[in-house]
Amino acid sequence: MTDELFEEEGAETPKRPEDEDSPPEEEVFEETEEEGIVEEESDVVEEIFEEDAADEAVSDETFEAEEPESYLEEDAAESDTVFEEAAGDDFSEEYYEEAAGGDTYAEDVGEDETSYAEESEQSWGDRLGSAVKGVLIGGIIFLAGFPLLFWNEGRAVRQYKNLKEGAGSVISVSADKIDPANNGKLVHVTGLATANEVLTDGDRNDTGPVVSISPDRADPVNNGRQVHVTGGATTQAKISEPDFGFAVNAIMLERVVRMCQWREVIGPATTEKKLGGKKVTTRKISYKKVWADERIDSEQFRGKQKARYANPASMTWPGKTFDPAPVTLGAFTLDERFVREISAFRKLKFKKLPAGLPDGLKGKIQLYDGGLFLGKDPRKPQIGDLRIEYRAVGINAAQKPVPISLMAKQDGSRLVPEIAPDGKILSRLVLGTQQIEEMVMPSGITVKDAITLKRSVQMYQWAEKQETKTVRQSDGKEKKVQVWSYEKIWSASLIDSDRFRQKSSHANPQQMACEGKTITARKVMLGAFELPRNYVSRLNRFEPLPVESLSEAVPEELREKTKVVSGGYYIGKDPQKPAVGDMKVSYSVVRPQTVTVVAEQAGQSFAPFATEHGTIEEFVMGKQTAESLFTAARQQNKIISWLLRLAGFAAMFIGLSMVLKPISVAFDVIPFLGNIAGIGTGLISGLMAAGFSLMTIALAWIFYRPLFGILLIAAGVGLIFGVKMLRGKKGRVAPRALPPSGPPAAPPPPPPGQ
């Protein structure tokens, strides 16, 4: 089989990575936002293949007459994209509302999308039962507020007395000399915190001397040495593809297979109350055909009609990377580990069907868009149809060597990796031409006399945000709609996309290849005193530490795509157009700085000072007097007291709201009355929580501050009695003078007739 079967897309020879334009085939995957299942966007497919359609020699005369470009243009117009992407290089966001479908990387394969609404109901009785169950939990939360408020008042009193005792016994001493007479005393020390060490963020593996040699001759003198070689990697061998009956002269060959499959898109839930107290939840579920390079498990679909949208149980021919061919660099043979690092893949475009195609596939395979199509009609693909493409490194490498630069150990006529005692590979391979000075890296980021060296790593990832919107309908009713929005952000921690609502199209990497790291000096001094480790960890006034060149601080597998940008490392393809999984690495350092300590002198260090009511141990940045430090501590005590009072009130309010929840649910038989009842129970919960909070705080004052509490009660009682006495005095009236008493009056005469 001759190599005339293919023609190669893109540049004929790879350039240095930093000068290389993106090859056409890589554009398909450049903006892929998920690892694992990779689906392509119809607009990108059109851009990649439209230019090559006129050049294809299609063996099927009927198919040759079709216009795939027109199909692709029409398909792009009909793609079901229901998200909005914000403008800007560093930000894009997707909103999923009603249909909640769409996928940036899906090619809509026709008009076969179907959708339906799925409803779930929760009866009034079920809702009432759930509310009743919440009464117990609410009661526990409500009761928890009482001990919290009571304990907080005692804590505030003890801390007040503790600080008062400390302020009266503290003494200020010099940091330059330790006086044993002050051991066990509360001391105030201020000065410059320093460290006398070299901090480094590298493994410090020495590559040893490296010598540049010519690739034309394997000189025995260099056996066992680290050598630097630059030249063209080539091979005379062919890599065989037995499944489809052809072979190609190349360094590496990769088969990319995509299968037409169903994908399920679940929209957000909308919940609506119905007359009778019933709650109905409606969710739209859509199914569409997409091309995916891994099987989509339809058994995991959540819709009730998932049986109608079953995908094949397996892919007949999965994607595959073939074993590399033997590669030479001048007079040297490259170790296979180096060969696999030559990753300048180019997409191959079939000119005709392979002559060695197995008999079972003849008549079933046809050319389409420069690749192979296994199915009936590429314009109307069916579930299970396959699209097969190939990518290669060094196509026709016998005539067109791939330029590389290599730092490796010479072993006779072989170039092999140099392995350090700890198992680390010290060798490097890069595409293009690099001088020895560019390839030999420093052992790591190093800084002298610093307290802390910090490596900060951020990864570009998808982040999910959920909110509930209220939508007013045409009939005047309101409906609550849950909205999930997705945006790409730089995050220092890994975001678990498996928890996302729309996780299939917003997949984040499973781990960070390069992680943050903090290196701290083993001994930090304050004059003659050694600072305890918990003090050192609070020295956090970091300042940037720019980097100027690549170092071994970057993991070996990431160095090929690492650039120095804005004083830090950028790990990715293009800093102006970050892709999910790209990382930014920056360094910062804590240098010597002034601190103030108030604590017990414990030999050559410090420890908490015990008082009758607690302990005292203060450590702050900057120079402060003992008086100002204690004043700040008292103010902090007040702030903490009020925050804990609010927390206690909140616990009571939430607990009472849950206890009274069944009332509003009971009235939900008529939704309007249920809303009114909900407002009423909320108001009652707030008033009751405020009353119970004030009563608990008052009782705590009586317990912890008896004199103050008794005086408050006496003042209150006196005020009440004073008001009563004043009202009683105003209510008394002077007695009137009575006339002198005389003989009793005669009884009235009896009525007539008696």
Side-chain angles (χ1 to χ4, degrees):
M1 191 69 187
T2 66
D3 293 332
E4 293 301 318
L5 176 66
F6 294 105
E7 63 181 10
E8 181 183 9
E9 286 193 349
E12 293 185 353
T13 57
K15 305 174 185 178
R16 292 177 58 176
E18 59 268 32
D19 301 324
E20 182 177 337
D21 295 328
S22 300
E25 75 283 2
E26 293 182 352
E27 294 182 13
V28 177
F29 304 98
E30 180 181 347
E31 298 187 14
T32 296
E33 308 300 345
E34 57 182 311
E35 295 184 355
I37 298 178
V38 182
E39 302 172 350
E40 58 189 11
E41 186 175 359
S42 57
D43 293 341
V44 179
V45 175
E46 180 181 1
E47 179 183 347
I48 295 299
F49 295 102
E50 187 175 19
E51 298 177 1
D52 303 322
D55 297 332
E56 289 188 18
V58 185
S59 60
D60 188 341
E61 183 176 345
T62 303
F63 177 71
E64 186 177 10
E66 300 295 337
E67 297 182 0
E69 297 93 317
S70 300
Y71 156 70
L72 289 169
E73 291 173 1
E74 179 182 357
D75 188 47
E78 294 179 355
S79 61
D80 179 29
T81 305
V82 294
F83 64 86
E84 298 175 3
E85 184 166 337
D89 293 333
D90 296 327
F91 175 83
S92 63
E93 185 168 4
E94 298 181 7
Y95 297 93
Y96 289 83
E97 297 188 2
E98 295 297 332
D103 191 330
T104 311
Y105 324 104
E107 179 186 350
D108 188 356
V109 298
E111 298 181 359
D112 294 294
E113 178 183 354
T114 59
S115 63
Y116 65 94
E118 195 173 89
E119 293 188 353
S120 61
E121 297 182 355
Q122 187 180 20
S123 67
W124 176 79
D126 292 338
R127 293 182 59 212
L128 187 60
S130 299
V132 171
K133 293 177 182 178
V135 170
L136 177 61
I137 299 175
I140 295 174
I141 296 175
F142 167 69
L143 294 176
F146 287 95
L148 174 62
L149 291 172
F150 199 90
W151 167 83
N152 177 52
E153 298 306 316
R155 182 208 59 79
V157 171
R158 288 191 297 271
Q159 183 64 1
Y160 171 80
K161 295 180 179 179
N162 186 43
L163 294 174
K164 184 177 181 181
E165 180 180 346
S169 58
V170 65
I171 58 173
S172 295
V173 300
S174 171
D176 299 330
K177 183 180 179 181
I178 298 176
D179 187 351
N182 294 324
N183 278 344
K185 294 182 179 180
L186 182 64
V187 296
H188 162 257
V189 187
T190 185
L192 189 66
T194 61
N196 187 23
E197 295 182 31
V198 176
L199 305 182
T200 182
D201 181 30
D203 296 331
R204 306 185 68 88
N205 283 321
D206 189 6
T207 60
V210 182
V211 58
S212 288
I213 64 173
S214 169
D216 299 331
R217 178 174 176 267
D219 190 340
V221 175
N222 295 320
N223 277 344
R225 291 184 178 179
Q226 277 268 67
V227 296
H228 166 260
V229 192
T230 297
T234 184
T235 181
Q236 302 296 326
K238 290 185 177 182
I239 300 177
S240 177
E241 161 56 298
D243 291 334
F244 294 94
F246 67 87
V248 59
N249 173 230
I251 293 174
M252 292 185 68
L253 180 67
E254 180 181 69
R255 181 174 69 199
V256 180
V257 182
R258 296 182 180 86
M259 183 166 65
C260 182
Q261 304 176 69
W262 286 112
R263 188 194 66 185
E264 180 185 64
V265 180
I266 300 177
T270 59
T271 302
E272 186 177 3
K273 293 180 181 178
K274 299 289 186 179
L275 193 63
K278 183 169 59 176
K279 183 185 290 185
V280 178
T281 301
T282 305
R283 192 186 310 277
K284 180 180 178 181
I285 299 180
S286 301
Y287 294 88
K288 63 185 301 184
K289 291 180 179 178
V290 297
W291 292 105
D293 68 353
E294 286 191 1
R295 178 178 175 268
I296 300 175
D297 187 2
S298 55
E299 293 296 323
Q300 301 299 319
F301 289 171
R302 297 169 54 186
K304 295 178 180 178
Q305 300 187 28
K306 65 180 183 180
R308 297 175 54 189
Y309 303 98
N311 289 323
S314 63
M315 297 179 72
T316 309
W317 290 281
K320 179 179 180 180
T321 299
F322 296 84
D323 291 336
V327 176
T328 59
L329 179 61
F332 296 93
T333 300
L334 296 187
D335 186 277
E336 184 177 316
R337 285 169 286 187
F338 288 137
V339 177
R340 293 186 180 275
E341 293 185 32
I342 307 175
S343 55
F345 279 97
R346 293 289 182 271
K347 182 180 176 182
L348 302 180
K349 186 176 66 173
F350 281 91
K351 294 181 179 180
K352 56 187 177 181
L353 287 174
L357 201 64
D359 292 339
L361 294 177
K362 291 180 179 179
K364 299 179 181 179
I365 294 282
Q366 52 186 299
L367 295 182
Y368 185 71
D369 280 339
L372 303 179
F373 180 85
L374 180 60
K376 187 175 181 181
D377 188 346
R379 298 166 300 173
K380 297 179 180 179
Q382 301 300 312
I383 298 299
D385 287 358
L386 297 177
R387 285 166 50 175
I388 304 168
E389 299 171 352
Y390 289 88
R391 302 195 312 153
V393 175
I395 184 72
N396 296 326
Q399 288 78 36
K400 296 184 293 184
V402 179
I404 63 171
S405 297
L406 180 64
M407 189 173 71
K409 183 173 75 171
Q410 179 177 325
D411 181 12
S413 62
R414 299 179 67 242
L415 295 175
V416 299
E418 174 77 12
I419 310 297
D422 61 358
K424 180 182 176 183
I425 297 178
L426 304 179
S427 303
R428 294 185 64 203
L429 182 146
V430 296
L431 298 177
T433 301
Q434 283 196 6
Q435 301 302 318
I436 187 171
E437 295 80 7
E438 300 176 88
M439 298 192 67
V440 178
M441 297 180 301
S443 61
I445 304 300
T446 302
V447 61
K448 186 179 180 181
D449 297 335
I451 295 173
T452 304
L453 173 63
K454 182 178 180 181
R455 178 176 71 198
S456 301
V457 180
Q458 291 181 307
M459 179 184 285
Y460 202 55
Q461 304 175 71
W462 283 109
E464 179 184 67
K465 183 175 66 174
Q466 180 182 356
E467 60 179 335
T468 302
K469 292 183 178 180
T470 301
V471 180
R472 185 175 295 276
Q473 299 175 310
S474 57
D475 57 1
K477 294 182 179 180
E478 290 185 347
K479 179 168 40 175
K480 293 187 180 298
V481 179
Q482 289 180 313
V483 180
W484 286 265
S485 61
Y486 298 86
E487 61 177 339
K488 297 175 187 176
I489 64 171
W490 289 102
S491 174
S493 58
L494 193 65
I495 300 175
D496 185 4
S497 57
D498 288 340
R499 300 177 180 272
F500 287 176
R501 185 70 176 180
Q502 289 284 341
K503 60 184 179 181
S504 63
S505 54
H506 304 94
N508 290 325
Q510 296 297 311
Q511 62 182 0
M512 298 178 73
C514 181
E515 297 182 344
K517 183 179 181 181
T518 300
I519 305 102
T520 304
R522 289 168 293 181
K523 182 180 290 188
V524 180
M525 305 299 293
L526 176 58
F529 294 90
E530 181 179 349
L531 291 180
R533 300 307 295 177
N534 62 322
Y535 290 11
V536 176
S537 64
R538 292 159 66 180
L539 292 168
N540 53 12
R541 290 182 178 175
F542 286 91
E543 59 184 70
L545 180 66
V547 298
E548 299 178 354
S549 62
L550 200 60
S551 77
E552 290 188 2
V554 179
E556 181 181 3
E557 64 274 13
L558 301 178
R559 292 172 193 164
E560 189 69 28
K561 55 181 179 180
T562 301
K563 308 171 183 65
V564 177
V565 178
S566 301
Y569 296 134
Y570 186 89
I571 304 174
K573 186 174 183 181
D574 187 352
Q576 301 302 319
K577 296 179 181 180
V580 169
D582 286 3
M583 289 182 288
K584 294 192 299 187
V585 182
S586 60
Y587 289 88
S588 55
V589 63
V590 175
R591 300 192 185 277
Q593 53 192 261
T594 302
V595 298
T596 300
V597 176
V598 171
E600 177 183 326
Q601 180 177 316
Q604 296 182 346
S605 189
F606 303 101
F609 179 77
T611 68
E612 183 180 352
H613 304 284
T615 61
I616 296 177
E617 187 179 29
E618 299 291 336
F619 178 79
V620 296
M621 304 297 107
K623 184 176 182 179
Q624 292 192 26
T625 63
E627 182 181 358
S628 63
L629 195 147
F630 276 100
T631 300
R634 284 190 287 267
Q635 184 63 29
Q636 183 183 29
N637 184 41
K638 292 179 181 179
I639 294 174
I640 293 174
S641 298
W642 277 106
L643 289 176
L644 291 174
R645 287 166 185 162
L646 290 174
F649 166 78
M652 290 185 175
F653 173 74
I654 294 172
L656 287 171
S657 297
M658 296 178 67
V659 170
L660 299 178
K661 179 67 175 178
I663 298 176
S664 62
V665 175
F667 279 96
D668 263 344
V669 174
I670 302 176
F672 175 74
L673 294 180
N675 293 336
I676 295 177
I679 296 173
T681 55
L683 181 61
I684 293 172
S685 299
L687 294 175
M688 292 180 65
F692 281 120
S693 297
L694 292 175
M695 182 177 65
T696 304
I697 293 173
L699 290 175
W701 281 10
I702 294 174
F703 183 83
Y704 291 110
R705 306 177 184 179
L707 180 61
F708 185 65
I710 291 173
L711 290 176
L712 282 178
I713 294 176
V717 172
L719 181 62
I720 294 173
F721 274 97
V723 172
K724 286 188 175 182
M725 290 178 61
L726 182 61
R727 291 182 60 188
K729 185 175 180 180
K730 289 183 178 181
R732 285 199 299 269
V733 181
R736 298 179 180 178
L738 298 176
S741 58
Q754 290 189 356

